[in-house]
Amino acid sequence: MPREGPDRAKKRKDKESRRINIKEKMTEILELPKEVVLNVPRLTMLGNKNLVIENYKGIIEYETVRIRINTGTGIIKITGELLTIKEITSEDIMVEGRIKGLEFLE
Amino acid sequence: MLLLRLWNYMRGYVIIVVEGYFLEKFINICIHRQVFLWGIKRQKNCTMTLNVSIRGFKMLRPIAKKTGCRMEIVEKRGLPFILNRYKRRKTFIAGAFAFVILFYIFTSFIWAIEVTGNEKIDTEVLIDKLAQYGVKQGGLKYSIDTGDVVSSLMIDVKELAWVGVSIKGTKVKVSVVERVAPPELIPAAEPCNIIAYRDAVIKSVYAKIGQQEVRAGDTVKRRQVLISGSITSENKEVGAKLVHASGEVFATTWYEGSAEVRDVIEEKVSTGEKMSNYTLVLFSKEIKLFPKAVPYNEYEKEETKKRFSVGEDMVFPIGITVDTYNENKLVKKNIGLEEAQKAAEDEAYNKAAEDIPEEAEIIKRDVEVIEKEDGDMEVNVIIECIEDIGIEQKMGGS
């Protein structure tokens, strides 16, 4: 098996990013819901009390002060006080409580 | 949200506590297996409470085993649990059902018939007639066609001008309007006489058609012809002409009434003593409850009927009749002669006035006090009137 040179690896990465760009452009042209096609979570916040995350993958950590949720683009970390999961289905998760911070971890 | 809550309540749900180290994993597996969770609250000491439907809870056990969590039900909520609680009380449910069914059965019969609006026709007669069409106590109310009943009643009882039948609850309300009977008139084409309907002294005669037979000042007897319908001509060869006589004959008439003067009267005075007999009425049967003989010589009976009913129209065939007997004492009372005389006068006047027709004009009343041989006194009242005494009578008729 021939070893891949640094050039080839770079080329492949370029190719991959280009494909994503094309995908993004296509969805924009066709006005398709981006979160479905691109596997990106949709976050809806109501003040600092209510947060709905659609298109998520799973819960990594759940404490009253900190929730970490795995999504297609990485991990979302919610910090706050008295956090509860109001509703949870396979499509969305509704977090309630006093939300203080929202962090995207790559 | 309210709708969702209501839905959850209807389906029933449980609040459970989950204890373990891999709570996140537990939730993730639940989601993966399509178990809907809500109201998840994290507690300290590796526990959390959450709500899950009954169906979902059944799927939780293997998940808990897999993730090494312990579950415990804190509370059961919702309709299925409440129903389940009552499921054991079989007698209660049976009683409730029996009540509903009995209520339905009892209210599908007629238990009371009310007839209103009749004055001349006896209520009994109408009720008898109604019974013939099936409208009677204990009859099934669904078998009654009110339209049919109305038309049959109208046909059978000629005196009715209008009939309305309505079924309200267990009561049948029959309201009727009586026909005002037209006066029996002799057709104008038929010849007739005018005769006196009572003894009188003629005051004035005015014959419109026919031949005048009496003159003012004449004394006439009852049934005497006043204006004749057969007019005899002077020409003997022509027979009498028959006409429908008409006219007014005013005459003086007298009406008499008498009453005894009693200065000692017996008056009933209640002693305050009373007793009651109760009778239970079931359907049309009467059952006397602890009947007692009435120990009084003089008493007044008072009857009150009570029927068990819901509202005014839902009458049930159960009732109670209370007969109350009030003891009376006869007390002799001496009222003054003057007062006694006045009372007798009133009595006599009322007796005399009974027969006076409405059209008559009262012109004089005479009061006469007669002392009889045995010492009793009597009051005589004579009322003098002026009225039209003529009535029509068919010729040759009786």
Side-chain angles (χ1 to χ4, degrees), chain B residues 40-80:
Chain B
I40 304 168
K41 280 183 198 124
R42 181 72 199 236
Q43 251 87 36
K44 280 160 199 161
N45 315 329
C46 306
T47 58
M48 65 176 175
T49 60
L50 54 88
N51 301 351
V52 65
S53 65
I54 293 170
R55 264 182 63 194
F57 180 74
K58 283 170 187 162
M59 292 161 76
L60 287 186
R61 207 160 285 280
I63 300 168
K65 217 171 199 176
K66 201 173 178 180
T67 55
C69 295
R70 286 205 302 133
M71 300 190 307
E72 205 180 320
I73 295 173
V74 180
E75 209 180 323
K76 292 170 179 175
R77 279 187 188 169
L79 220 55

Side-chain angles (χ1 to χ4, degrees), chain A residues 33-48:
Chain A
K34 270 183 191 171
E35 72 269 17
V36 176
V37 180
L38 300 175
N39 201 18
V40 171
R42 173 186 281 274
L43 279 75
T44 316
M45 261 191 110
L46 199 72
N48 65 342

Side-chain angles (χ1 to χ4, degrees), chain A residues 56-96:
Chain A
Y56 76 103
K57 275 183 176 165
I59 304 168
I60 294 167
E61 192 190 0
Y62 176 34
E63 298 283 343
T64 50
V65 292
R66 181 173 63 247
I67 297 174
R68 283 193 294 156
I69 290 160
N70 193 15
T71 67
T73 55
I75 295 163
I76 296 171
K77 185 177 150 195
I78 307 152
T79 52
E81 284 168 21
L82 297 167
L83 297 176
T84 61
I85 299 168
K86 193 92 188 288
E87 258 179 55
I88 184 162
T89 65
S90 53
E91 278 98 39
D92 54 20
I93 173 166
M94 191 193 281
V95 176
E96 244 187 19

Side-chain angles (χ1 to χ4, degrees), chain B residues 180-229:
Chain B
V180 178
E184 264 184 59
L185 282 178
I186 295 167
E190 232 170 279
C192 70
N193 291 329
I194 300 280
I195 61 163
Y197 86 95
R198 67 179 288 137
D199 297 357
V201 173
I202 304 295
K203 202 154 172 40
S204 66
V205 182
Y206 166 55
K208 279 185 214 158
I209 305 167
Q211 194 170 301
Q212 187 177 330
E213 297 282 336
V214 289
R215 249 176 276 155
D218 283 2
T219 306
V220 292
K221 290 266 183 225
R222 189 163 167 268
R223 305 198 74 79
Q224 190 178 336
V225 176
L226 305 173
I227 301 168
S228 173

Side-chain angles (χ1 to χ4, degrees), chain B residues 77-313:
Chain B
R77 279 187 188 169
L79 220 55
F81 295 110
I82 292 170
L83 289 178
N84 206 30
R85 200 180 303 156
Y86 284 114
K87 221 180 251 174
R88 280 180 214 147
R89 304 180 188 176
K90 273 179 190 157
T91 359
F92 177 79
I93 300 281
F97 265 104
F99 174 75
V100 170
I101 290 165
L102 275 177
F103 196 88
Y104 181 78
I105 291 170
F106 270 76
T107 53
S108 54
F109 290 104
I110 298 156
W111 296 127
I113 298 168
E114 197 181 85
V115 180
T116 52
N118 55 325
E119 280 168 14
K120 284 176 199 145
I121 308 168
D122 250 351
T123 308
E124 298 290 320
V125 173
L126 289 174
I127 283 175
D128 272 1
K129 277 269 177 262
L130 286 168
Q132 282 174 22
Y133 320 135
V135 184
K136 59 187 173 204
Q137 259 199 5
L140 208 63
K141 80 174 173 190
Y142 302 111
S143 65
I144 294 171
D145 182 356
T146 49
D148 249 18
V149 172
V150 167
S151 43
S152 336
L153 200 62
M154 286 286 283
I155 291 164
D156 286 1
V157 185
K158 290 274 180 293
E159 295 93 328
L160 296 178
W162 178 85
V163 177
V165 176
S166 63
I167 301 168
K168 280 196 163 182
T170 56
K171 197 190 253 180
V172 178
K173 285 186 177 172
V174 180
S175 42
V176 298
V177 176
E178 282 172 8
R179 199 188 295 280
V180 178
E184 264 184 59
L185 282 178
I186 295 167
E190 232 170 279
C192 70
N193 291 329
I194 300 280
I195 61 163
Y197 86 95
R198 67 179 288 137
D199 297 357
V201 173
I202 304 295
K203 202 154 172 40
S204 66
V205 182
Y206 166 55
K208 279 185 214 158
I209 305 167
Q211 194 170 301
Q212 187 177 330
E213 297 282 336
V214 289
R215 249 176 276 155
D218 283 2
T219 306
V220 292
K221 290 266 183 225
R222 189 163 167 268
R223 305 198 74 79
Q224 190 178 336
V225 176
L226 305 173
I227 301 168
S228 173
S230 67
I231 304 166
T232 46
S233 167
E234 281 172 19
N235 189 348
K236 294 261 168 90
E237 278 159 32
V238 183
K241 191 186 168 197
L242 298 181
V243 292
H244 180 95
S246 81
E248 285 169 334
V249 182
F250 283 101
T252 314
T253 51
W254 290 270
Y255 295 87
E256 234 180 293
S258 65
E260 227 174 289
V261 178
R262 287 180 297 262
D263 53 356
V264 177
I265 55 163
E266 279 186 335
E267 210 170 47
K268 280 180 180 175
V269 180
S270 175
T271 57
E273 290 284 323
K274 62 179 169 187
M275 60 159 287
S276 304
N277 266 345
Y278 299 92
T279 310
L280 186 69
V281 182
L282 265 178
F283 300 96
S284 55
K285 289 206 168 52
E286 293 189 348
I287 302 157
K288 286 209 157 69
L289 302 173
F290 327 113
K292 288 172 280 187
V294 184
Y296 314 129
N297 291 326
E298 280 289 331
Y299 59 86
E300 229 164 70
K301 192 174 160 190
E302 205 177 299
E303 200 180 73
T304 34
K305 281 182 181 169
K306 276 177 198 159
R307 287 203 88 176
F308 177 61
S309 69
V310 178
E312 208 177 298
D313 297 324

